[in-house]
């Protein structure tokens, strides 16, 4: 069974640009979660999507947004990139109350 | 406001001995707790979980203990193996927050042969 897949694995952007990260959940999982792990910090909850709807949002500015498609894959969009957005962005998926399973992340570097 | 804390950034243990990783939380609404293991350049891997209605859950070499009155949980690994060397994160969720997980900062475990 394929795990959670994320693309791209690495990305370099400059301040002010926009970026889109992608996530494909495990087959059968309907929920997708996004987390940010900045250098030296723990994982911070960003967004939760379930059945195409945004269910919960972490303490991040509105320039962080996303969506979930009918096939349950998801995108995370970040506008007006700032230096502090440099981080590992992790996607996780789950079904119902089952534990979340994570992808290997996208490493975003802002120059 | 760090609701989930892992106060030990690192832990070193001899192979074959017990590893005990600790985690404290402040939010009494948390009712589900998980431990994840993370190797460099990989995403976190789910290890074991426990509901607040239990005080212990065991899976092979891994046992999680929950002390609700102290708002403390721990992960015991017995016996420890060199392959267990990784960063361990505890995480918590509250039923009214759905799937939102709050993570600790992580503890880096090193198991020496």
């Amino acid at each position: 069974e394929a795990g959670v897949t994320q693309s791209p694995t690495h990305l370099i952007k400059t301040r002010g640009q926009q970026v889109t990260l992608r996530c494909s959940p495990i087959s059968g999982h309907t929920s997708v979660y996004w987390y940010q792990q900045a250098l030296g910090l723990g994982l911070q909850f960003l967004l939760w999507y379930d059945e195409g709807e945004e269910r919960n949002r972490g303490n991040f500015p509105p320039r962080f947004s996303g969506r979930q498609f009918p096939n349950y894959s998801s995108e995370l969009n970040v506008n007006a990139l700032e230096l502090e957005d440099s981080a590992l962005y992790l996607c996780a998926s789950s079904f119902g109350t089952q534990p979340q399973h994570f992808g290997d992340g996208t490493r975003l570097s802002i120059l | 406001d760090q609701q989930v804390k892992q106060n030990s950034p690192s832990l070193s243990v001899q192979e074959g001995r017990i590893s005990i990783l600790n985690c404290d939380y402040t939010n009494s609404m948390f009712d589900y707790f998980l431990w994840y293991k993370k190797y460099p350049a990989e995403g976190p891997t789910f290890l074991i979980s426990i509901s607040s209605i239990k005080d212990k859950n065991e899976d092979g070499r891994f046992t999680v203990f929950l002390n609700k009155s102290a708002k403390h949980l721990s992960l015991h690994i017995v016996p420890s193996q060199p392959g267990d060397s990784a960063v361990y994160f505890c995480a918590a969720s509250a039923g009214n927050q759905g799937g939102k997980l709050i993570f600790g900062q992580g503890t880096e475990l090193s198991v020496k042969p």
Side-chain angles (χ1 to χ4, degrees), chain B residues 11-88:
Chain B
L11 175 67
S12 183
V13 171
Q14 207 67 30
E15 179 179 7
R17 307 294 283 267
I18 183 171
S19 294
I20 300 176
L21 297 104
N22 294 303
C23 180
D24 297 296
Y25 62 96
T26 57
N27 189 342
S28 58
M29 297 300 291
F30 287 149
D31 57 7
Y32 187 56
F33 304 88
L34 309 90
W35 283 94
Y36 285 84
K37 176 172 72 173
K38 187 179 185 301
Y39 294 118
E42 294 183 11
T45 300
F46 169 72
L47 272 176
I48 192 168
S49 63
I50 188 167
S51 162
S52 61
I53 62 172
K54 294 185 173 182
D55 54 19
K56 176 183 174 181
N57 189 25
E58 193 171 353
D59 184 2
R61 295 187 298 116
F62 302 91
T63 303
V64 56
F65 295 92
L66 175 62
N67 182 334
K68 290 187 289 295
S69 61
K71 294 190 176 65
H72 176 84
L73 68 155
S74 61
L75 175 69
H76 292 208
I77 306 173
V78 184
S80 302
Q81 301 172 354
D84 296 329
S85 296
V87 178
Y88 289 77

Side-chain angles (χ1 to χ4, degrees), chain A residues 33 35 37 40-45 48 56-58 88 90 97-105, chain B residues 2 32 34 36 38 41-46 49 89 96-106:
Chain A
Y33 310 82
Y35 294 85
Q37 186 180 22
L41 299 178
L43 284 77
Q44 304 291 319
F45 170 77
W48 169 34
N56 203 345
R57 181 181 181 85
L88 178 67
L90 289 160
T97 59
Q98 296 299 310
Q100 297 175 28
H101 294 269
F102 284 81
D104 289 337
Chain B
Q2 190 70 25
Y32 187 56
L34 309 90
Y36 285 84
K38 187 179 185 301
E42 294 183 11
T45 300
F46 169 72
S49 63
F89 292 96
N96 63 352
Q97 292 289 300
K100 174 181 177 180
L101 291 179
I102 306 298
F103 282 83
Q105 301 285 80

